[in-house]
Amino acid sequence: QVQLVESGGGLVQAGGSLRLSCAASGRTFSNYGMAWFRQAPGKEREFVGAITFNGDFTSYVDSVKGRFTISRDNAKNTLYLQMNSLKPEDTAVYYCAAASAAWGGSANGLYHYWGQGTQVTVSS
């Protein structure tokens, strides 16, 4: 089992920045590919970005490329999402997820462990 706890969400004005964190405990964090997903009210959960087990490769949904950066610190068992140039359409609950493999990609079916989510609200 892997337990994931997100933090860092909040209310920010458009154009601002937030940094989300996801603290992991349980099985060895460094073995797992990780990802961030988000879900806006009335919408399906959406892939945001993913990172390999060792941080060597990342992938993002087109709408956040150039604005969001996913990273991890395996020594601290923590995943991060740096969000810059935030837009109102980024408003959502953000979830971190762990895949049972070195890389999970964008398919949420490959992620077996999920955090409880943290709310990000971007005002215009």
Side-chain angles (χ1 to χ4, degrees):
Q1 287 284 346
V2 176
Q3 291 78 42
L4 303 171
V5 179
E6 302 95 336
S7 61
L11 174 64
V12 63
Q13 288 188 334
S17 298
L18 280 175
R19 188 195 198 200
L20 305 184
S21 298
C22 173
S25 60
R27 292 189 175 180
T28 306
F29 174 73
S30 59
N31 288 346
Y32 297 102
M34 300 291 295
W36 289 96
F37 290 80
R38 65 186 180 186
Q39 188 166 19
K43 295 187 177 181
E44 293 188 353
R45 188 162 54 191
E46 173 191 35
F47 169 77
V48 175
I51 189 167
T52 52
F53 73 105
N54 60 359
D56 280 357
F57 181 78
T58 56
S59 177
Y60 301 92
V61 67
D62 285 347
S63 60
V64 308
K65 284 181 180 177
R67 300 189 298 121
F68 290 12
T69 302
I70 188 171
S71 62
R72 65 190 298 162
D73 185 338
N74 286 345
K76 295 182 178 180
N77 289 346
T78 304
L79 176 73
Y80 302 101
L81 183 67
Q82 178 67 44
M83 304 185 295
N84 299 327
S85 302
L86 282 160
K87 304 175 181 180
E89 52 263 43
D90 295 318
T91 295
V93 176
Y94 283 71
Y95 299 90
C96 67
S100 297
W103 169 250
S106 62
N108 63 11
L110 296 180
Y111 293 90
H112 299 134
Y113 306 103
W114 295 82
Q116 83 290 347
T118 185
Q119 176 70 48
V120 171
T121 304
V122 184
S123 63
S124 58

